[in-house]
């Protein structure tokens, strides 16, 4: 499925959080001056060649996340990205779209629509008369 993102960052841009399990926290953009121009809270960004679970270098993998906090003056702690989805087999393809489609809501809708019958569904109860 294609996911609209504001930016696709190279693996070398991954700072603090790289190599840690995804449940520990976010992944920092370690090159803030070079890679974060124009990013805002809620924007989706992709890290190419980063495993979405272990967050280590893996050629061909992609990790897509939400900009969740601003930069920090501490070394390696830049803008934080909370990883939401990713793949190691090419099933997720980020596409740079600078406008509103690269926000979280629009991207989630596109993923659900692209998933067809395989997309997760919430149970819907019929209203009682």
């Amino acid at each position: 499925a294609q996911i609209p993102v504001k930016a696709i960052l190279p693996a070398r841009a991954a700072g603090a959080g790289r190599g840690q399990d995804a449940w520990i926290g976010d992944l920092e953009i370690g090159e803030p001056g070079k890679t974060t121009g124009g990013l805002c809270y809620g924007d989706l960004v992709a890290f190419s060649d980063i495993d979405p679970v272990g967050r280590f270098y893996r050629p061909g993998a992609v990790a897509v996340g939400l900009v969740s906090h601003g930069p920090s003056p501490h070394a390696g702690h830049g803008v934080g990205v909370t990883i939401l989805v990713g793949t190691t087999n090419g099933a997720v393809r980020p596409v740079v779209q600078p406008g509103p489609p690269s926000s979280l809501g629009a991207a989630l809708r596109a993923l659900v629509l692209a998933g067809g019958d395989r997309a997760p569904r919430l149970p819907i109860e019929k209203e009682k008369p």
Side-chain angles (χ1 to χ4, degrees), residues 108 111-123:
L108 290 177
L111 276 175
V112 170
L113 293 175
D117 293 336
R118 296 172 294 140
R121 303 269 193 259
L122 294 176

Side-chain angles (χ1 to χ4, degrees), residues 3-109:
I3 299 178
V5 297
K6 275 278 175 85
I8 300 174
L9 307 174
R12 71 176 183 275
R18 187 165 67 177
Q20 296 179 336
D21 290 329
W23 61 269
I24 290 176
D26 60 6
L27 183 58
E28 311 286 327
I29 299 173
E31 295 181 343
K34 298 177 184 174
T35 56
T36 58
L39 291 181
C40 298
Y41 294 107
D43 285 346
L44 292 172
V45 296
F47 286 94
S48 61
D49 300 324
I50 291 290
D51 182 278
V53 178
R55 299 189 299 198
F56 54 86
Y57 178 76
R58 179 180 286 204
V62 64
V64 178
L66 176 79
V67 174
S68 55
H69 71 75
S72 169
H74 300 291
H77 291 274
V79 172
V81 178
T82 301
I83 303 301
L84 301 174
V85 65
T87 185
T88 58
N89 65 8
V92 173
R93 292 179 313 279
V95 177
V96 175
Q97 293 185 357
S102 58
S103 68
L104 178 61
L108 290 177
R109 177 173 165 69

